[in-house]
Amino acid sequence: MKRITIASTAAVGIVALLAGCSAGAPSDGKVTLSYGLWDANQLPAYEQCAADFEKTQDDIKVKVEQVGWDEYWNKITTGFVSGENFDVFTSHVAFYPEFQASGQVLPLDDYIAADKLDTSIYQDGLVELWQDPDGVQYGLPKDFDTIALFYNSQFTDAAGYTADDLASLTWNPEDGGTYEDVIAHLTVDANGVRGDEPGFDKNNVATYGLWMEASGGADGQTQWSFLTASLGWSQTDEPWADSYNYDAPEFADTISWWYSLVEKGYMPSLEAQTGIAWADQLIAGKAALVPNGSWMTGHVFGAASDTFTPALASTPEGPDGKSWSMFNGLADNIAATTKHPDEAWEWVKYLGSADCQDVVADSAVVFPAIKTSTEKAVAAFEAKGVDVAAFADHVTDGTTVLYPITDHKSDVNATMTPVMESIMSGKSGTDALVGANDQVNGLFK
């Protein structure tokens, strides 16, 4: 806790220092801020926000730059060292804890207080995601995501399932419930034999009932977190906890069941899916059902064709009788390397306003963080013929678990990912999770 306090204090010092550096405006009196994001689908909406923002400003311009995921984070992390970084960038809770702990992003509390911002406009829980353990605020929520099941309704229709069947699946770690029944029946081998029929050839599968998107690493956001949540298990007991729970029997039971789908031929092996995009497999008919995030809705539904009719269903109800989702939110951070912190704040404030988030809502790509803007986004999706209730209902029903946020996040990921990959490739059993948990918890001692 003390380390965080020192880091926060250091960050405040950086604010003061950089504010001093930027006291003299550029010779032409104009400031151009650089703004980074990784999602190409959202680029048009944020370019529109930038254009609208500039109309409200005499001296601030914004250059929006979209960079692919891997290059994006490399640019930011190296930019903190070189000083050549975005002034403002879209941030993720998988990276932000280390940014704030090392003073690489600026605290916003003084700005929020001075402008008397009402943070109650955001969906519950999103503001707190962007606070450090002492409650210092580092970002204003911009959007959120939840998990649902994407499927090809042409395949489910052919298999005899209705939309109501898909929306009322059940799951348990012993036999997989009706979730596994449906996955098995949707799996078809090269001879047209279904996974639950005699003669099924698990070594020659044409369409997998469920697609694996990697091992899930430390978080399992799209892979297994919605299952473990129904068992009352989560990675940590609370945000900023100093221990993890990977050694719990509930987690091992869930992963054992998940890997059993590979052994039965209902889901591809880890090796078979490596380097292959899950959405491409769903669209191409190589997979019938895939759990994934709301941010992929536009991409998947935009690929509808004569052979692919996309649809959405809620995640299966677990032993507790509820359908769950991990709840993650993005925010915009101000890089400590910016020479224009005050101007950067004006842009961050606009990004966090209904003026911008309503524009994002109208694009029907993601769910904005402001409650009223979320409603506009749901309506925008519906106008495009996409029923997103399977995502949005988690927020209204309160069936979400927060994305785990702790110190040492990179080291936690580096420890858990190879262990999970070893289990999901059949090289290790779930007993490996006990030792992995000891290693993870050792990071906090």
Side-chain angles (χ1 to χ4, degrees), residues 67-142:
V67 183
W69 176 265
D70 290 337
E71 184 182 354
Y72 179 80
W73 291 109
N74 182 60
K75 176 180 174 69
I76 289 173
T77 53
T78 58
F80 284 134
V81 177
S82 67
E84 297 295 324
N85 211 342
F86 299 118
D87 294 291
V88 178
F89 62 94
T90 301
S91 195
H92 193 286
V93 294
F95 297 88
Y96 136 79
E98 292 171 14
F99 293 163
Q100 61 85 14
S102 56
Q104 292 170 323
V105 293
L106 302 185
L108 306 179
D109 301 84
D110 290 345
Y111 288 123
I112 292 171
D115 286 339
K116 299 179 181 178
L117 286 194
D118 177 11
T119 57
S120 69
I121 62 175
Y122 302 110
Q123 295 286 356
D124 296 342
L126 295 182
V127 171
E128 291 76 10
L129 271 178
W130 297 93
Q131 295 174 349
D132 74 4
D134 293 326
V136 177
Q137 193 75 37
Y138 285 89
L140 292 182
K142 61 186 300 158

Side-chain angles (χ1 to χ4, degrees), residues 212-217 224 255-264 267-274 416-430 432-433:
M212 181 200 299
E213 186 198 19
S215 69
W224 39 258
I255 300 305
S256 291
W257 171 81
W258 193 40
Y259 179 65
S260 77
L261 300 182
V262 176
E263 296 179 308
K264 296 170 184 173
M267 186 167 73
S269 66
L270 181 73
E271 292 76 11
Q273 62 81 49
T274 299
M416 289 305 301
T417 297
V419 173
M420 290 297 298
E421 289 179 348
S422 181
I423 294 171
M424 291 309 295
S425 62
K427 298 175 182 174
S428 301
T430 54
L433 295 170

Side-chain angles (χ1 to χ4, degrees), residues 373-441:
S373 300
T374 302
E375 296 171 358
K376 293 179 184 294
V378 171
F381 276 113
E382 290 177 348
K384 290 185 173 182
V386 183
D387 181 357
V388 291
F391 292 119
D393 285 353
H394 285 298
V395 176
T396 55
D397 294 345
T399 50
T400 60
V401 290
L402 286 175
Y403 195 101
I405 182 170
T406 67
D407 281 335
H408 308 296
K409 192 64 178 173
S410 297
D411 292 329
V412 173
N413 291 335
T415 301
M416 289 305 301
T417 297
V419 173
M420 290 297 298
E421 289 179 348
S422 181
I423 294 171
M424 291 309 295
S425 62
K427 298 175 182 174
S428 301
T430 54
D431 55 344
L433 295 170
V434 176
N437 195 63
D438 289 342
Q439 291 184 48
V440 167
N441 288 343

Side-chain angles (χ1 to χ4, degrees), residues 191-216:
N191 297 314
V193 180
R194 294 188 178 276
D196 56 355
E197 295 175 342
F200 169 67
D201 183 358
K202 69 176 185 180
N203 296 313
N204 194 15
V205 176
T207 299
Y208 288 101
L210 190 72
W211 190 261
M212 181 200 299
E213 186 198 19
S215 69

Side-chain angles (χ1 to χ4, degrees), residues 214-229:
S215 69
D219 304 314
Q221 180 183 15
T222 62
Q223 296 88 353
W224 39 258
S225 63
F226 57 92
L227 302 176
T228 52

